[in-house]
Amino acid sequence: MLYLINEVINLSNRDIIEKENIKLNVYAKDWKGAVREAGNLLLSSEHINEEYIEDMVKAVEDLGPYIVIVPHIAIAHARPTNEVLKNGMSLITLEKPVEFGSEDNDPVDMVFAFCARSKENHLEALQELVGILDNEKKIERLRNIEDIEEAYYILNRK
Amino acid sequence: MSKKLKILAVCGFGVGSSMILKMKIEEVLKQNNIKADVFTADVGSASSTPCDIIFTSKELEKNIRSKVNVPVVAIKNFIDKVEIVENGLPVVRDVLNSFKE
């Protein structure tokens, strides 16, 4: 019972995106560079092994730019594998937008990267992400923000 | 008693974008009082997963359409409920009507 209560408290206090997983005004040469930059945050915060980054790049190479699921925003991810150490999400905003080749949603200036250990246990993280994507005001603010503290606050405010 | 509608949301791996699309489809169905089961699948297994309608992205649509004989709805913006209502809902209603015949 105590365990369950702790679980609930942990969940409600958990960050959607930790400060170390946010980077603003990043320079990326092209879409691959952008995906790798977002992936590198998850790598240095020990959410993934390096292979996962290339898995995310390969997903777009194999299947096309479908990860640009809303205008100007890409949700980079790959299949849950052993390369994922814990569930997580990162966000980069780009200094200059890049083309993913998406007919309708290019150019991209924000890239979220997410990693999940299994299909089931990241649903909550995705719901949180949808909550952010749904909020046009939040997205507009994030797009132009220069201060990580402020970005962190916007992303994680309950 | 008519059978329950099965909708499949498809993305590359069936774990990311299709989950987001599934959430949005469910919201639209609920608002319109339509009962259906919404599942997700990856693009490789979409054609072998029994369903009545497939929702996916424009990029994956071409890949899927030739392999299935159910209607395929292509969505550009996965969190835009207006697009799901305008492009998806007529197809959902058509299929539901065909259940009654």
Side-chain angles (χ1 to χ4, degrees):
Chain A
M1 189 60 195
L2 193 62
Y3 165 77
L4 270 178
I5 292 169
N6 278 334
E7 254 321 66
V8 171
I9 292 169
N10 280 339
L11 282 178
S12 58
N13 287 339
R14 215 197 51 211
D15 288 339
I16 300 172
I17 301 184
E18 300 93 348
K19 227 172 277 178
E20 55 182 347
N21 281 327
I22 305 169
K23 205 171 171 186
L24 305 172
N25 284 317
V26 177
Y27 171 79
K29 189 175 75 155
D30 52 19
W31 70 264
K32 285 185 193 175
V35 169
R36 287 184 182 126
E37 285 285 350
N40 276 332
L41 293 176
L42 293 175
L43 178 67
S44 37
S45 59
E46 296 179 348
H47 283 78
I48 54 169
N49 290 329
E50 207 166 351
E51 286 78 3
Y52 189 81
I53 299 179
E54 290 316 303
D55 286 351
M56 291 195 293
V57 172
K58 197 165 180 295
V60 178
E61 285 175 339
D62 290 348
L63 300 163
Y66 80 94
I67 65 166
V68 191
I69 61 166
V70 293
H72 318 306
I73 300 177
I75 315 286
H77 66 286
R79 200 184 293 278
T81 60
N82 293 336
E83 307 303 340
V84 178
L85 309 175
K86 53 184 178 192
N87 299 342
M89 207 183 302
S90 67
L91 167 68
I92 60 165
T93 60
L94 295 175
E95 181 191 311
K96 100 181 153 54
V98 296
E99 304 277 329
F100 271 71
S102 166
E103 204 179 305
D104 302 289
N105 296 333
D106 264 345
V108 169
D109 61 2
M110 286 174 86
V111 179
F112 289 87
F114 88 80
C115 57
R117 286 180 56 78
S118 79
K119 202 171 167 168
E120 291 75 26
N121 65 12
H122 72 297
L123 241 182
E124 202 194 345
L126 276 178
Q127 271 159 349
E128 288 162 350
L129 177 60
V130 168
I132 296 168
L133 295 176
D134 256 340
N135 190 327
E136 271 176 46
K137 272 191 198 145
K138 269 191 184 181
I139 291 294
E140 262 334 291
R141 277 183 69 195
L142 283 171
R143 182 161 270 140
N144 300 307
I145 228 159
E146 300 203 352
D147 177 26
I148 288 205
E149 291 287 336
E150 203 184 335
Y152 172 76
Y153 178 74
I154 293 173
L155 287 166
N156 296 295
R157 192 174 45 181
K158 306 287 181 226
Chain B
M1 190 61 206
S2 54
K3 66 170 184 168
K4 197 164 181 191
L5 185 68
K6 279 199 183 76
I7 297 176
L8 196 62
V10 177
C11 75
F13 304 112
V15 295
S17 358
S18 60
M19 289 280 194
I20 293 176
L21 187 55
K22 170 183 145 90
M23 290 176 209
K24 289 290 149 186
I25 294 169
E26 282 172 340
E27 281 178 33
V28 167
L29 293 175
K30 202 174 167 199
Q31 281 166 358
N32 289 278
N33 238 336
I34 296 169
K35 285 197 171 53
D37 288 324
V38 188
F39 305 92
T40 64
D42 64 83
V43 65
S45 59
S47 57
S48 57
T49 308
C51 65
D52 304 301
I53 303 172
I54 291 175
F55 279 71
T56 190
S57 73
K58 263 184 91 172
E59 283 80 19
L60 299 179
E61 178 204 4
K62 298 155 214 156
N63 191 315
I64 294 168
R65 199 181 283 277
S66 58
K67 295 180 190 138
V68 297
N69 43 28
V70 297
V72 179
V73 179
I75 299 292
K76 293 179 209 167
N77 182 339
F78 275 29
I79 64 155
D80 181 9
K81 277 194 278 188
V82 175
E83 196 182 336
I84 296 173
V85 168
E86 283 175 0
N87 296 344
L89 217 45
V91 181
V92 169
R93 293 201 202 282
D94 274 356
V95 173
L96 281 174
N97 282 333
S98 74
F99 283 179
K100 289 177 196 151
E101 283 159 12

